Amino acid sequence: MKHITCIEDLRQLHKRRVPKAFFDYADRGSYTEDTLRANSEDLQQIKFRQRILVDVSKRSLATTILGEPSAMPLILAPVGLLGMQHGDGEIYACRAAQAAGIPFTQSTMSICSIEDIAASVDKPFWFQLYVMKDRGFIKSLIERAIAAKCSALVLTVDLQVIGQRHQDIKNGMTVPPEWSLSKLIDFASKPSWVAGVLRGKRRSFGNIVGHVKGTEDLTKLSEWTASQFDTTLNWKDIDWIRSIWPGKLILKGILDVEDAELAAKTGAQAIVVSNHGGRQLDGAPSSIEVLPEIVDEVGSKLEIMFDGGIRTGMDIMRALALGAKSCMIGRAYAYGLGAGGQEGVAKALDILGKELTTTMGLCGVNTIAEIDDKVLAV
């Protein structure tokens, strides 16, 4: 990791070390990937004001997220199948986040189970929930998150209908993977990855297998999962979730002012402005494009988090300047995980933190609380 200088370096290393199907799963978006590209490109269009001769000797990234101290305004977002980027990937990512003093969010569609992670780390983590048709399973999943002492529930609200990701179809992406000659050759060329995954606790969806009848068979598991995303999900279901979940609730996937207003009435403590990393509605606006108007409308009512396209500490600064209180990253740390396990995730966080504090210094600010639109060039 000595010569890794940026997130793109980690991405390239990830691409070399992990089989193509799993790298593409993390890296690519839906349909023509217009929204995926817009997330990053629109962030890069935002320019800073360079300020000089300001005392910036006491810079600090420390902040609070949902009232809890955080070493920087960053959260590891829920990413499915982390355990197929690196064996026990969810555990290693969580450990790296906790060592860095920031929250980690486990995905419902993770390889390690809630219990696996809880037994392997010292502090509470966040859990992300997809609401499925089997409400009995969802109730038990929430109860398992409570038993594991998860400190926040992140309800993803933008996956009732699944956007098609062309590359996953071309790669025959399944868990475990479908075997073909090209895949065997690809896997054989990555012995370290194979060894790591074989050492891992699991190679299927740990939160589902053994908890839903008939999912021990991989074919039935795949069929069950594909049938479970619920197109009837609506705002009333949040009341049902809140009747079970006693803790902090975050709604992830808000991209419209009207939806943000409705979210503010649910009793949730925060929303995540997000388009699912360009993996769902292709042609949707970038997350940064809609952030300012959502902040203007509901920023005084709940905490606004940002997700979408962050690859640098400068991108974090841009989102904070436009009103976000913290940011989520998904691909940026998944690249680190695939590149080097826990050390790779730690490297990604170190890169982003150093880029953010440098940008703060060159813009003449010392604290996260000082960052607002005045750091941006008109």
Side-chain angles (χ1 to χ4, degrees):
M1 294 288 160
K2 181 180 179 182
H3 299 293
I4 297 291
T5 61
C6 60
I7 298 299
E8 179 59 23
D9 286 351
L10 289 172
R11 178 180 176 273
Q12 292 300 327
L13 189 54
H14 179 193
K15 188 174 183 179
R16 293 196 297 272
R17 291 186 172 179
V18 173
K20 184 176 187 299
F22 294 114
F23 172 78
D24 284 348
Y25 173 81
D27 189 59
R28 304 296 291 273
S30 64
Y31 299 102
T32 63
E33 301 184 335
D34 286 345
T35 298
L36 170 65
R37 289 188 295 272
N39 274 346
S40 294
E41 291 170 357
D42 288 357
L43 277 164
Q44 291 167 19
Q45 293 302 310
I46 299 170
K47 306 303 179 185
F48 298 111
R49 292 176 66 198
Q50 177 177 296
R51 304 304 304 276
I52 61 170
L53 298 178
V54 178
D55 182 351
V56 288
S57 61
K58 298 179 181 179
R59 299 191 309 286
S60 170
L61 300 182
T63 187
T64 59
I65 298 176
L66 291 179
E68 297 293 327
S70 183
M72 55 181 161
L74 198 61
I75 302 149
L76 297 197
V79 176
L81 278 64
L82 283 179
M84 300 307 288
Q85 304 297 341
H86 187 283
D88 288 339
E90 291 87 4
I91 291 171
Y92 288 122
C94 187
R95 286 175 175 170
Q98 293 188 350
I102 65 173
F104 167 81
T105 316
Q106 182 194 10
S107 170
T108 291
M109 306 307 292
S110 61
I111 301 299
C112 292
S113 69
I114 299 172
E115 294 80 8
D116 291 336
I117 300 178
S120 302
V121 300
D122 298 325
K123 301 174 185 175
F125 52 94
W126 295 3
F127 183 72
Q128 174 266 340
L129 181 70
Y130 287 127
V131 177
M132 299 178 181
K133 291 179 182 177
D134 186 339
R135 291 296 200 266
F137 169 67
I138 294 306
K139 183 174 185 290
S140 71
L141 197 56
I142 296 171
E143 289 170 345
R144 288 165 61 196
I146 294 169
K149 296 182 171 55
C150 292
S151 52
L153 185 70
V154 180
L155 175 62
T156 295
V157 294
D158 60 355
L159 207 81
Q160 289 164 271
V161 177
I162 301 176
Q164 180 169 297
R165 298 148 200 173
H166 295 336
Q167 205 60 40
D168 288 350
I169 294 173
K170 292 175 180 176
N171 289 331
M173 240 306 285
T174 60
V175 178
E178 296 175 356
W179 292 109
S180 65
L181 179 59
S182 62
K183 280 187 179 174
L184 284 169
I185 293 170
D186 188 15
F187 281 36
S189 70
K190 298 171 176 67
S192 295
W193 176 87
V194 172
V197 169
L198 289 177
R199 286 195 302 268
K201 294 178 183 295
R202 304 177 191 274
R203 283 164 289 284
S204 192
F205 297 118
N207 288 324
I208 300 172
V209 173
H211 298 278
V212 177
K213 187 177 180 179
T215 56
E216 288 77 7
D217 176 270
L218 292 172
T219 300
K220 291 180 180 178
L221 170 64
S222 178
E223 291 172 354
W224 181 87
T225 303
S227 71
Q228 281 297 309
F229 290 94
D230 191 354
T231 55
T232 71
L233 185 67
N234 62 75
W235 291 101
K236 292 180 182 178
D237 290 304
I238 296 176
D239 293 334
W240 175 73
I241 291 166
R242 289 184 63 237
S243 73
I244 306 167
W245 174 256
K248 297 170 183 176
L249 179 65
I250 303 162
L251 304 185
K252 182 177 181 289
I254 306 297
L255 206 66
D256 182 88
V257 170
E258 188 174 337
D259 286 338
E261 292 171 338
L262 292 169
K265 297 175 182 177
T266 64
Q269 282 72 40
I271 61 172
V272 185
V273 176
S274 171
N275 54 34
H276 214 100
R279 295 167 63 81
Q280 281 293 90
L281 177 59
D282 196 33
S286 67
S287 297
I288 201 67
E289 181 180 343
V290 301
L291 175 64
E293 58 183 343
I294 290 176
V295 169
D296 286 346
E297 190 63 36
V298 301
S300 63
K301 301 174 184 176
L302 36 64
E303 197 159 314
I304 309 270
M305 301 170 181
F306 176 84
D307 168 70
I310 288 177
R311 300 291 183 274
T312 67
M314 292 72 82
D315 291 337
I316 297 171
M317 181 95 160
R318 290 168 172 127
L320 298 178
L322 291 179
K325 297 301 182 185
S326 59
C327 296
M328 282 188 168
I329 56 167
R331 289 182 177 91
Y333 85 86
Y335 295 147
L337 182 67
Q342 183 173 336
E343 182 185 1
V345 177
K347 184 67 174 181
L349 298 179
D350 181 63
I351 288 168
L352 294 171
K354 287 178 177 176
E355 289 174 343
L356 177 55
T357 192
T358 297
T359 306
M360 289 169 59
L362 294 172
C363 290
V365 297
N366 282 287
T367 67
I368 298 301
E370 290 178 62
I371 300 173
D372 58 20
D373 58 5
K374 293 183 179 63
V375 305
L376 302 179
V378 177

